[in-house]
Amino acid sequence: MSNVATDQILGGAYKEGFHDDLKSVHKVPKGPTHAVIDYMCDVKGEPDWMRQFRHRSLDLFLKQDLPAWMPGLRDIDYDAITYYMSPIDKSANKWEDVPEEIRRTYDKLGIAKEEQKLLGGLGAQIDSEMAYHNIQESLSKRGVIFLSCDEGMKQYPDIFKEHFAKSIPPEDNKFAALNSAFWSGGSFVYVPKGVKCDVPLSVYFRINAEQFGQFERTLIICEDDSFCHYVEGCSAPVYTTHSVHAAVVEIFVKDRARCRYTTIQNWSTDVYNLVTKRAFLYKNAVMEWVDGNLGSKRTVKYPSCYMVGEGAHGEILSLASADKGMWQDAGAKLVFFAPNCTGRINSKSISGHGGRASYRGLVQVNEEAKNCRVQVNCDALILDPVSRSDTYPVMEIDGDLATIEHEASVSNVSEEQLFYLMSRGIKKEDAVSMIVNGFIEPIVKELPMEFAVEINRLINLQMEGSVG
Amino acid sequence: MALPPPQFTMTTGFTQQNLEAIASGEPAWLKSQRLAAWQTYERLPLPTKRDVEWQRFDIRALKLDKITLPADKPAITERLTALPPAWSKQGVVFCDMRTALTKHSEVLKEYLGKSIAPDEPSKFNALHAALWRNGAFLYVPRNVCVDQPLEVVYEFTGQNTAGFPHTLVVVEPGAEATLVQKFIGGPPVGSNGTPSIHASGTEVFVKEGGHLHYISEQNFSPNVYDFTLKRAHVARDAEIDWVLGMFGASFQRYDVECVMEGEGGTSFMYAVGVLDHNQQFGQFTKQHHKTGNTTSDLMFKNVLRDSAVSNYTGLIKVEKNANGTNAYQANRNLVLSKEVRCDTRPILEIESNQLRCTHGATVGQLEEQQLFYLRSRGLTPELARDVLIEAFLEPVLARIQVESVQKEFASLIHQKVVRKQ
């Protein structure tokens, strides 16, 4: 297949690449130091336990090495990065209260318009702090909490402390330690027993500064029999230097509850996106990760489901598109600690223009997890000869009562399909676009309508300017 | 005339003196290969559980400094089927390595160590390359089709010792042959001390349009640690079909690789493993597509009982511009006990875009429904189970084209499967 098709699918303009000159209210010297932590704790007025936690995490970060299988991250210069920076002083809960220049940034991204139409709540983070956080009255009346993570710690210290860092301790990995040391912003969501949040809660993360580290921290707690759908999006300006986005997302899905977490990651190609996402699933709980990775220089992200309660079901849908200069190291983890659980991973990746898409996955069945069933499917499309696709699945099974299936395939756009569509009078570009859209359809159809439209728009927009 | 059997004293543990003793009287090029490999061996640390590939294995019982190499003859000796004169007249060579070194040193110089290089990044493969002292050599000249299977049996004797047989196979353009390798013997059951080491290497070159049928059976006694590397280079329009059987040894690390170097090349890799008691098997396969329009197919099937441990790691690597690659890889594991640990890592690394690569891995148990069906036909539960296990492995056995070997595989499987506690 020619490069035409690649150009069609990838390589378009990154329209979120602008940046605005915002005045910083808070800014600390570069480099990961204990002094930065003290400054942050003072500014935020944090309790002592958190201050100690941050210091301990920084020590762990400085001590820990990268795992050997995680190449391509050695060139991050941690000392060149600013770890805390904010153009705002406090989070607003009315859009009008958000400082005007920040509102302008978000207007360009079209964030606020969405809120009234389809969201139950909206949050917007710029650099280190949440600029805006609001939730529909109907939801807050039923006890649903939707705050920035910092506010969550202040207003609901008991719930917060009970769950914070319980599924992802700073010891977990180097980037979890980094986040634990410098976390700021992110969401705190609490859905009480039996409450179904039928409209999604959405948060938009924006990096505006240069050589910056964004470390949002999200904690979602779904009590028994509840339901919640959380949607996040993100973007950053295009600079020539690198920024780091190292988020930690912890989710607790209690008995019979269901949580769905949707990500549309569209960072600019100078952002290292190093995210740890993990959900604990209790008895008969259901967790669904829908993870779309379209941007960033390097993404290292494996949303995980840890089945700790009997009968839990974890599902991960992963979509990665690697364009020029990108390495999407995306994947999924299913870890079973309890019997009769089921899990499914469905991954689709596209690589073109020299991009590299890797699926890295883990299925681990521990001895006490009897009668678990897992199905993993990975499909990859490679659009041109300079691109690369890898599959690194690991399955570790203890005991004899699990059924594990893994299947993967890698191929190009089939000449036969292309020929068929063209013989029906469809232009080559449109035909390729149809095939690619058909390929990702099983995942896109799981997205909320607006996001599905956005994905299709991104892919089609990037096809602009291609020559036949 | 073969080289006289080397006379030397061997130290306990592995030392460079051993190497010097083995290399005495050998051509200089071979000795320099050995020395380079020895440096690799010395440089690499013993693998530990911190290495991803070794994390499920426990080889602490192995004490390298307790191992003594026998002075008079290698711990593993080879026994080759006699080549009928009809074939030798046509230029076919099938002889032991020491004979080959004297009689066919030119061919050896061209191929030996060219696949299994002295800097192979594995401690035990390097040890093998430094210290091998016997083995078998098969050479099939252009357009000669040897229609009878040629067999080499490697038999392990002694204890607290090590053997390093080396096999070199060259199939010239348009030629065809069948090679059967059997690895048997080992320290007597119940012997104590350190496990004995078998570290072997098999280098295969199949030239343009050549075809090699290759069968390998490993059935060492329990107190053997087996480190094996087999690598085949497949040229244009050439073909190799492998059938590997893994039954014995308490620890086994198999590295099996096909390197697809010419268009139209094909490799079919099939294997069965039956593991019981505390057996630990690591199976590492690589389908390396350097050139496009090549095909590789792989199926590794394992049955695990008792507290066996297995790790299958398979890599399909497709280089840039290897368009038209068609690669398939399947690893199927049947788990019969709750103490079993079974890992599988099927990996794809693809840098080309006009291709089709798929892989599949499964870990599962016998189907209740199938068991029920057989029992409803009057089979006892045990018999129903055995029938299903043997049926699971059948597709691999069906690939063996030598009837006697096929029967032997079937009987080895049967013995391990029907074994009562």
Side-chain angles (χ1 to χ4, degrees):
Chain A
M1 201 179 69
S2 70
N3 286 332
V4 181
T6 315
D7 294 338
Q8 287 165 9
I9 292 154
L10 304 162
Y14 181 72
K15 78 174 169 83
E16 289 85 1
F18 65 91
H19 76 272
D20 296 308
D21 292 321
L22 300 176
K23 213 169 79 210
S24 294
V25 178
H26 299 293
K27 186 173 178 184
V28 297
K30 290 174 191 264
T33 60
H34 288 283
V36 171
I37 290 180
D38 283 327
Y39 178 86
M40 288 173 73
C41 290
D42 292 343
V43 166
K44 291 170 179 276
E46 286 183 345
D48 264 357
W49 71 270
M50 183 53 73
R51 191 185 293 259
Q52 283 160 18
F53 173 83
R54 285 180 187 274
H55 283 300
R56 185 168 69 88
S57 304
L58 179 56
D59 289 336
L60 284 166
F61 166 74
L62 296 171
K63 214 166 55 192
Q64 247 172 326
D65 209 359
L66 286 171
W69 49 263
M70 201 187 266
L73 294 175
R74 308 253 166 218
D75 49 346
I76 301 178
D77 183 1
Y78 296 103
D79 293 327
I81 287 169
T82 307
Y83 287 80
Y84 181 68
M85 188 192 286
S86 176
I88 39 159
D89 217 3
K90 68 185 222 320
S91 180
N93 51 19
K94 277 207 208 102
W95 193 244
E96 296 77 46
D97 295 344
V98 175
E100 202 197 329
E101 65 271 24
I102 293 171
R103 235 165 41 211
R104 232 183 288 130
T105 302
Y106 276 106
D107 284 344
K108 282 189 223 167
L109 297 166
I111 304 302
K113 272 183 279 169
E114 285 176 20
E115 182 181 3
Q116 286 157 1
K117 278 191 296 193
L118 66 137
L119 298 174
L122 174 69
Q125 174 160 351
I126 189 148
D127 296 341
S128 289
E129 294 290 355
M130 276 283 173
Y132 175 71
H133 238 277
N134 186 33
I135 183 169
Q136 272 183 16
E137 216 183 310
S138 61
L139 289 175
S140 59
K141 266 191 193 149
R142 284 151 75 195
V144 179
I145 302 166
F146 180 53
L147 290 169
S148 77
C149 213
D150 304 82
E151 279 301 309
M153 175 169 65
K154 278 183 200 145
Q155 295 183 24
Y156 301 93
D158 296 338
I159 308 176
F160 184 87
K161 210 172 164 182
E162 190 189 332
H163 297 94
F164 179 82
K166 290 298 182 291
S167 78
I168 308 176
E171 290 83 358
D172 191 79
N173 65 69
K174 193 172 174 72
F175 302 113
L178 182 64
N179 176 285
S180 301
F182 297 104
W183 73 269
S184 180
S187 297
F188 176 78
V189 177
Y190 179 84
V191 189
K193 256 184 202 174
V195 174
K196 308 248 189 284
C197 255
D198 31 21
V199 273
L201 302 173
S202 174
V203 171
Y204 197 88
F205 295 96
R206 172 83 180 164
I207 293 179
N208 191 61
E210 193 175 356
Q211 288 192 312
F212 172 70
Q214 187 175 59
F215 306 103
E216 98 256 9
R217 182 103 191 181
T218 292
L219 186 55
I220 298 175
I221 300 140
C222 293
E223 288 291 357
D224 297 356
D225 303 293
S226 65
F227 169 70
C228 152
H229 185 184
Y230 182 91
V231 185
E232 64 170 6
C234 49
S235 68
V238 176
Y239 293 115
T240 50
T241 51
H242 300 149
S243 285
V244 170
H245 171 257
V248 166
V249 176
E250 294 182 278
I251 300 182
F252 296 86
V253 195
K254 305 285 178 72
D255 296 359
R256 297 171 304 278
R258 179 175 156 220
C259 179
R260 169 173 275 220
Y261 191 107
T262 302
T263 307
I264 302 299
Q265 180 268 106
N266 190 26
W267 294 115
S268 60
T269 50
D270 39 32
V271 175
Y272 284 95
N273 185 40
L274 317 162
V275 178
T276 313
K277 289 184 164 170
R278 193 169 299 162
F280 271 38
L281 283 70
Y282 294 86
K283 215 172 158 186
N284 293 324
V286 177
M287 176 72 212
E288 296 153 305
W289 294 100
V290 182
D291 197 39
N293 291 297
L294 302 165
S296 83
K297 175 186 173 69
R298 175 80 200 271
T299 286
V300 176
K301 176 163 56 158
Y302 323 108
S304 320
C305 293
Y306 281 47
M307 321 288 184
V308 293
E310 189 172 348
H313 176 74
E315 190 148 335
I316 298 153
L317 303 173
S318 172
L319 173 66
S321 165
D323 193 12
K324 189 177 177 199
M326 295 183 195
W327 183 356
Q328 305 284 10
D329 202 305
K333 286 189 199 175
L334 293 170
V335 184
F336 295 83
F337 296 100
N340 301 319
C341 294
T342 50
R344 224 174 95 77
I345 297 171
N346 197 351
S347 157
K348 304 257 181 191
S349 74
I350 308 167
S351 47
H353 277 156
R356 178 171 176 186
S358 305
Y359 167 82
R360 204 181 290 277
L362 173 70
V363 173
Q364 192 182 67
V365 181
N366 292 289
E367 217 170 309
E368 56 275 33
K370 312 257 180 259
N371 297 322
C372 288
R373 284 185 173 265
V374 187
Q375 203 186 11
V376 182
N377 281 303
C378 302
D379 296 313
L381 259 188
I382 310 186
L383 299 176
D384 58 41
V386 286
S387 303
R388 174 168 176 170
S389 172
D390 312 297
T391 312
Y392 302 100
V394 174
M395 281 151 275
E396 296 179 350
I397 321 297
D398 283 2
D400 65 336
L401 288 163
T403 305
I404 315 297
E405 287 168 36
H406 169 95
E407 265 179 60
S409 72
V410 179
S411 60
N412 53 330
V413 173
S414 137
E415 289 292 342
E416 212 176 317
Q417 291 173 1
L418 208 56
F419 178 78
Y420 177 82
L421 290 172
M422 286 167 74
S423 76
R424 290 290 180 274
I426 296 167
K427 277 194 299 185
K428 189 169 181 183
E429 301 88 275
D430 296 342
V432 172
S433 155
M434 279 172 88
I435 293 168
V436 171
N437 279 309
F439 173 75
I440 59 172
E441 160 74 16
I443 290 177
V444 173
K445 75 167 192 248
E446 297 298 326
L447 295 172
M449 183 58 187
E450 298 289 317
F451 276 80
V453 171
E454 177 70 3
I455 290 256
N456 284 331
R457 185 191 68 83
L458 278 170
I459 283 178
N460 288 323
L461 179 120
Q462 288 170 346
M463 291 182 184
E464 272 176 17
S466 57
V467 205
Chain B
M1 192 197 73
L3 288 175
Q7 293 296 320
F8 41 71
T9 46
M10 283 293 187
T11 49
T12 299
F14 299 111
T15 62
Q16 198 169 336
Q17 274 162 280
N18 292 338
L19 188 155
E20 301 286 347
I22 291 166
S24 66
E26 280 181 358
W29 60 266
L30 186 53
K31 189 175 174 186
S32 66
Q33 269 185 18
R34 289 183 188 279
L35 283 170
W38 179 255
Q39 277 161 13
T40 311
Y41 168 75
E42 293 236 286
R43 183 169 48 81
L44 294 173
L46 262 183
T48 66
K49 289 205 167 202
R50 300 174 84 183
D51 304 302
V52 176
E53 293 184 348
W54 294 83
Q55 63 188 14
R56 287 291 186 121
F57 301 126
D58 185 353
I59 56 164
R60 284 173 301 178
L62 187 64
K63 301 275 181 274
L64 294 181
D65 55 353
K66 296 277 178 346
I67 285 177
T68 314
L69 298 176
D72 49 347
K73 65 177 182 58
I76 298 176
T77 47
E78 70 277 346
R79 203 163 60 234
L80 282 71
T81 41
L83 187 70
W87 298 119
S88 42
K89 261 185 217 147
Q90 294 194 46
V92 178
V93 179
F94 187 51
C95 66
D96 67 84
M97 260 326 210
R98 298 214 74 83
T99 309
L101 266 174
T102 22
K103 284 194 180 164
H104 308 283
S105 62
E106 283 313 302
V107 188
L108 257 61
K109 194 176 174 184
E110 192 180 341
Y111 292 102
L112 197 63
K114 292 297 182 294
S115 174
I116 300 180
D119 56 353
E120 217 61 65
S122 145
K123 192 168 181 74
F124 293 98
N125 294 338
L127 183 66
H128 158 80
L131 298 182
W132 70 268
R133 56 203 260 214
N134 63 319
F137 172 56
L138 171 63
Y139 178 83
V140 193
R142 188 180 275 265
N143 294 335
V144 174
C145 295
V146 183
D147 59 5
Q148 80 177 86
L150 300 171
E151 185 178 281
V152 52
V153 180
Y154 290 109
E155 186 161 8
F156 204 141
T157 46
Q159 44 186 302
N160 302 336
T161 186
F164 308 102
H166 192 90
T167 311
L168 174 65
V169 180
V170 180
V171 178
E172 291 285 10
E176 184 172 351
T178 304
L179 178 69
V180 181
Q181 275 181 329
K182 288 181 187 169
F183 298 87
I184 56 168
V189 177
S191 62
N192 46 26
T194 175
S196 290
I197 293 177
H198 163 256
S200 77
T202 301
E203 297 177 279
V204 176
F205 298 87
V206 190
K207 307 314 245 343
E208 291 74 11
H211 192 164
L212 180 70
H213 310 271
Y214 174 85
I215 305 165
S216 171
E217 169 201 312
Q218 184 273 103
N219 193 27
F220 285 123
S221 71
N223 211 19
V224 174
Y225 278 17
D226 176 15
F227 304 89
T228 291
L229 171 61
K230 298 174 191 289
R231 190 179 290 135
H233 297 258
V234 184
R236 191 187 175 97
D237 296 328
E239 182 173 337
I240 178 167
D241 53 89
W242 320 61
V243 184
L244 313 172
M246 298 164 230
F247 307 104
S250 55
F251 172 85
Q252 173 203 262
R253 173 167 174 136
Y254 249 54
D255 285 274
V256 188
E257 274 185 55
C258 62
V259 187
M260 312 309 292
E261 292 174 339
E263 293 199 4
T266 309
S267 162
F268 294 101
M269 230 181 244
Y270 285 77
V272 288
V274 185
L275 295 74
D276 56 8
H277 299 300
N278 296 315
Q279 278 185 303
Q280 314 177 69
F281 280 15
Q283 299 161 336
F284 295 77
T285 66
K286 185 169 175 184
Q287 292 152 272
H288 191 170
H289 290 262
K290 282 191 167 171
T291 316
N293 297 324
T294 46
T295 303
S296 70
D297 187 5
L298 178 147
M299 175 146 72
F300 269 56
K301 287 197 154 190
N302 293 316
V303 174
L304 294 95
R305 301 182 63 179
D306 306 330
S307 40
V309 177
S310 81
N311 177 356
Y312 170 83
T313 300
L315 170 65
I316 297 180
K317 168 117 189 138
V318 181
E319 301 264 350
K320 274 204 165 60
N321 302 321
N323 284 338
T325 289
N326 198 344
Y328 186 73
Q329 179 195 69
N331 173 231
R332 313 250 175 257
N333 299 285
L334 186 56
V335 173
L336 300 175
S337 137
K338 63 179 191 302
E339 264 81 53
V340 158
R341 299 181 131 207
C342 176
D343 295 356
T344 171
R345 298 159 192 254
I347 300 170
L348 306 177
E349 285 185 356
I350 317 284
E351 293 190 68
S352 194
N353 76 319
Q354 308 230 352
L355 52 84
R356 177 92 196 140
C357 282
T358 55
H359 67 187
T362 55
V363 180
Q365 312 86 47
L366 292 172
E367 291 270 343
E368 281 300 328
Q369 216 177 345
Q370 295 176 353
L371 281 169
F372 178 80
Y373 176 81
L374 290 178
R375 291 182 62 188
S376 77
R377 290 288 180 275
L379 273 66
T380 61
E382 292 77 30
L383 188 56
R385 193 200 66 157
D386 297 347
V387 164
L388 287 176
I389 297 170
E390 290 179 38
F392 170 76
L393 299 174
E394 174 61 27
V396 177
L397 291 199
R399 305 290 305 192
I400 303 177
Q401 290 174 7
V402 183
E403 206 188 326
S404 62
V405 180
Q406 191 182 43
K407 279 191 180 142
E408 196 171 319
F409 269 55
S411 115
L412 283 170
I413 291 168
H414 188 72
Q415 281 167 29
K416 285 196 99 171
V417 167
V418 300
R419 174 183 66 79
K420 299 290 177 287
Q421 299 316 310

